[in-house]
Amino acid sequence: MPRYTKTAMLLHWLIALLIVAAFALGLVMTDIPGLTPTKLKYFSWHKWLGCTVLALAAIRLLWRLLHRAPPYPPQLPQWQKSSSHALHGLLYLLMFGVPLSGYFYSLAAGIPVVYLGVLPLPVLIGPDPVLKPLLKTAHYWLNMALLACVCLHVAAALKHLLIDRDGIFSRMLPSTD
Ligand code: HEM
């Protein structure tokens, strides 16, 4: 069974880890009442994690455009090939949409992002009281869409691993032989 390249695997698992961390931190930090130093620190960490996801997603998209994914086994039903392509496409869109909505929300709220506390990132829009609530809602709902897509993606992967046992899951794992 052909596998993804090492670069594709590294980007896949690194981005997956960072998305889970950014998502969890997003929920925790917005739950903290008031404006405490801890809350502000978590907001910064969340933004840095999210900007890292955005940068890695750009590298990953470029890599994917320049390299073909390994072909599916011929016995895989056509509907599964089509739905996996559609879901992967949606995941790519959300890997950009989620961090970009957060980034522009932060700018619309008048808080430019300083990556890791040292690198000021481009201020592409100024404070905007009209856009601010729209972008906040967009960030929330894009995250819920991402959660739904990731759940489907994981469920499909586990079905291939535990029920179909067709080797599709291990295409994204380093070879043990
Ligand atoms: C993969 C990347 C990201 C994920 C998975 C993510 C996830 C989340 C989640 C789950 C929340 C909580 C939503 C809620 O309960 O209201 C949140 C809130 C927030 N995110 Fe992100 N986020 C990402 C990237 C970013 C980026 C790049 C920025 C800014 C540079 C950002 C800025 C914010 C802000 C400011 C909030 C607080 C919203 C509020 O005021 O309630 N996020 N994020």
Side-chain angles (χ1 to χ4, degrees), residues 31 103 141 174:
D31 238 26
Y103 188 72
W141 284 108

Side-chain angles (χ1 to χ4, degrees), residues 15 18-31 39 43-54 94-107 109 111-114 121 132 135-137 139-144 146:
I15 290 175
L18 292 174
I19 286 180
V20 170
F23 191 93
L25 196 54
L27 294 182
V28 169
M29 73 188 195
T30 47
D31 238 26
K39 183 170 180 172
F43 264 65
S44 294
W45 290 355
H46 175 80
K47 293 177 185 185
W48 301 341
L49 279 168
C51 290
T52 312
V53 168
L54 184 60
L94 291 166
M95 267 189 291
F96 286 93
V98 168
L100 279 174
S101 58
Y103 188 72
F104 280 96
Y105 167 59
S106 198
L107 293 180
I111 309 172
V113 184
V114 183
L121 297 183
K132 185 181 154 187
L135 285 164
K136 182 175 169 176
T137 308
H139 192 53
Y140 177 81
W141 284 108
L142 286 169
N143 265 296
M144 294 307 120
L146 177 65

Side-chain angles (χ1 to χ4, degrees), residues 3-16:
R3 287 165 190 274
Y4 280 92
T5 60
K6 289 213 167 58
T7 311
M9 288 181 199
L10 180 71
L11 286 167
H12 174 275
W13 291 110
L14 190 57
I15 290 175

